[in-house]
Amino acid sequence: MGPKTNTLTDTFGRAHSYLRISLTERCNLRCTYCMPAAGVPLSPKAHLMTADEVYAIAKTFVDHGVTKIRLTGGEPLVRKDFREILQKLASLPVRMGITTNGITVDRFIADFKKNNLKDINVSLDSLDIQKFKDITRRDYFERVYNNILLLEKEGFNVKVNVVLIKDFNDSEIVDFIGLTKDLNISVRFIEFMPFDGNKWNVKKMVSYAEIMKLVNTAYTSEKLLRLQDAPNDTTKNYSIKGFKGSFGIISSVSNPFCDSCNRLRLTANGCLKNCLFSSSESNLLGLFREGKSIIPSIAKAVKAKQKIRGEMDTLEKLKESNLHSKNRSMITIGG
């Protein structure tokens, strides 16, 4: 069944073809920008979507125009039924991707290939072992780094996500770009965003302009190439002449890309978020378990989507919103 209504088109004409599905609130890291130091109250298992529910709800979105699904978490690979979920979703006519911390991806290479999952984003916020420990509160650097090398070698489309925090890892920007010289990967620098418990403030943010100032100091204009961004891309993409890979900047805070947003998010407990910066949610799982159609609720949530970043169209409004105390922590939203 193809799309028959404009269920996924909002009042600003944006058609939503990309669904990010969080499979779990659990993770084997404790990254400071994602999870409060004290942890988060986890949803009881009975409140989380089962493998069959993930598939059924995802299929509803696909029937109404979604063509791309990305699995997120928490850490999606910690779900014991991950392989079952992947196999079910792979039967849908969508492009599949996953965002992972990379700790256990080597165990799933065959599963990814069998189910045509090619797009793998790996989070790595420092190339310094001690800094990696500091930000993740765990000692897995070597495993993550080696798994990035493995994924690149195995031919996956690999993106390395780097959340930048001022005076912590911003001094590593050029080092990260250096990885793209011999590795066919894309390094993506992500501005630090406000979520519950991550102690965000604008002084910790490294903006797009600041990143480019460092890049322009390290590389001449002749060597720095601006690449063509894909439709609906959140990233401003660049490469260095002669390098195998590329790098990009996701400037959700200083320079939002809302005009072309085509993304919706489904949390592990089955709630739909129409924007990462919105504190409102629609409980699709509750309706589904009651045997009710979830389509009206999806349509209502999409129509309620604001034009820019949950109506916070300036940095000042974002600072004044106290979003970091109203919104979920990132780990319970899904990356």
Side-chain angles (χ1 to χ4, degrees), residues 54-187:
V54 170
Y55 170 77
I57 293 174
K59 185 177 186 302
T60 301
F61 280 92
V62 173
D63 288 343
H64 289 81
V66 160
T67 58
K68 180 179 177 181
I69 289 177
R70 175 167 294 276
L71 303 177
T72 70
E75 170 50 44
L77 297 181
V78 303
R79 266 196 72 146
K80 293 179 181 178
D81 58 353
F82 173 80
R83 290 182 172 89
E84 179 187 354
I85 293 171
L86 178 59
Q87 186 175 3
K88 287 177 181 294
L89 292 177
S91 69
L92 298 172
V94 294
R95 182 169 183 132
M96 292 284 295
I98 189 170
T99 297
T100 172
N101 59 33
I103 292 172
T104 62
V105 290
D106 51 302
R107 304 175 193 172
F108 295 90
I109 298 293
D111 301 285
F112 295 157
K113 289 184 175 181
K114 179 181 177 183
N115 293 287
N116 203 32
L117 190 156
K118 298 177 180 178
D119 301 330
I120 303 181
N121 293 6
V122 182
S123 300
L124 179 66
D125 300 309
S126 180
L127 296 171
D128 179 277
I129 293 175
Q130 186 56 52
K131 283 186 180 180
F132 180 93
K133 286 182 187 178
D134 291 342
I135 201 164
T136 66
R137 306 184 183 109
R138 295 292 185 270
D139 187 12
Y140 289 126
F141 174 81
E142 295 290 348
R143 192 180 300 182
V144 174
Y145 187 79
N146 288 333
N147 277 339
I148 290 172
L149 300 181
L150 175 64
L151 290 169
E152 193 264 356
K153 180 181 177 182
E154 291 288 340
F156 291 96
N157 301 321
V158 181
K159 294 179 180 178
V160 177
N161 290 343
V162 186
V163 174
L164 291 176
I165 301 174
K166 184 164 286 186
D167 297 327
F168 178 75
N169 60 353
D170 50 333
S171 61
E172 299 185 66
I173 290 171
V174 174
D175 293 333
F176 269 107
I177 294 174
L179 293 179
T180 69
K181 180 179 181 182
D182 298 315
L183 295 175
N184 185 22
I185 62 174
S186 174
V187 172

Side-chain angles (χ1 to χ4, degrees), residues 273-318:
K273 286 181 71 76
N274 63 16
C275 174
L276 189 58
F277 288 91
S278 173
S279 56
S280 62
E281 302 175 354
S282 303
N283 185 359
L284 301 187
L285 182 58
L287 292 171
F288 183 84
R289 288 181 174 177
E290 292 172 5
K292 298 177 181 177
S293 172
I294 62 174
I295 295 171
S297 188
I298 293 171
K300 183 178 179 181
V302 172
K303 293 295 186 292
K305 186 166 183 171
Q306 301 291 338
K307 184 176 182 180
I308 297 178
R309 202 170 51 195
E311 217 171 17
M312 293 169 286
D313 55 357
T314 66
L315 186 55
E316 284 304 313
K317 286 184 181 178
L318 184 65

Side-chain angles (χ1 to χ4, degrees), residues 177-223:
I177 294 174
L179 293 179
T180 69
K181 180 179 181 182
D182 298 315
L183 295 175
N184 185 22
I185 62 174
S186 174
V187 172
R188 307 195 307 171
F189 300 111
I190 303 172
E191 290 179 346
F192 185 34
M193 293 178 280
F195 297 100
D196 180 40
N198 73 358
K199 299 181 181 179
W200 181 88
N201 69 63
V202 71
K203 293 179 181 178
K204 293 183 180 180
M205 191 187 77
V206 186
S207 70
Y208 171 78
E210 291 171 306
I211 296 168
M212 289 309 300
K213 184 177 180 180
L214 288 168
V215 172
N216 286 314
T217 299
Y219 299 100
T220 63
S221 57
E222 292 78 17
K223 292 205 71 175

Side-chain angles (χ1 to χ4, degrees), residues 221-237:
S221 57
E222 292 78 17
K223 292 205 71 175
L224 180 62
L225 307 175
R226 180 71 166 94
L227 304 179
Q228 180 67 48
D229 301 330
N232 307 112
D233 202 345
T234 61
T235 311
K236 296 176 179 66
N237 295 285

